[in-house]
Amino acid sequence: APNWIATPKEAVTDDMLCDWIAAIFRNDHHVILHYTRFCVNALPPLIVAFVRGKAYRALGLDEVADEMDAFAKKLSEKEETT
């Protein structure tokens, strides 16, 4: 399957999530983005936006990171009102 197709939530395995978390701890930004694509349906949207923003910024893609940061802020504000 193309790497841009998200895995259905019920098909996201613990191993996939562990690999995603391990990549975060290693600051392996390409792998973070890779596993985020697969695990997106099993993760809270705020966490996805925040982690993607950090990864894109670390890779020098500041404009994309700014979009992710703005989306994370919007989600955070929405959570505060619910």
Side-chain angles (χ1 to χ4, degrees), residues 1-21:
N3 70 0
W4 49 266
I5 296 177
T7 303
K9 183 177 182 175
E10 59 277 355
V12 175
T13 65
D14 289 343
D15 285 343
M16 293 167 80
L17 291 169
C18 287
D19 288 342
W20 179 72
I21 292 167

Side-chain angles (χ1 to χ4, degrees), residues 19 21 24 30 32 35 39 41 43 45:
D19 288 342
I21 292 167
I24 292 170
H30 287 99
I32 291 167
Y35 275 102
C39 299
N41 290 322
L43 300 167

Side-chain angles (χ1 to χ4, degrees), residues 29-70:
H29 306 293
H30 287 99
V31 175
I32 291 167
L33 293 170
H34 173 77
Y35 275 102
T36 301
R37 282 185 210 102
F38 287 112
C39 299
V40 68
N41 290 322
L43 300 167
L46 175 59
I47 300 300
V48 171
F50 178 79
V51 170
R52 280 183 171 165
K54 294 289 185 188
Y56 285 124
R57 190 158 321 278
L59 294 171
L61 299 169
D62 291 335
E63 289 182 20
V64 180
D66 290 345
E67 291 293 322
M68 288 292 115
D69 291 346

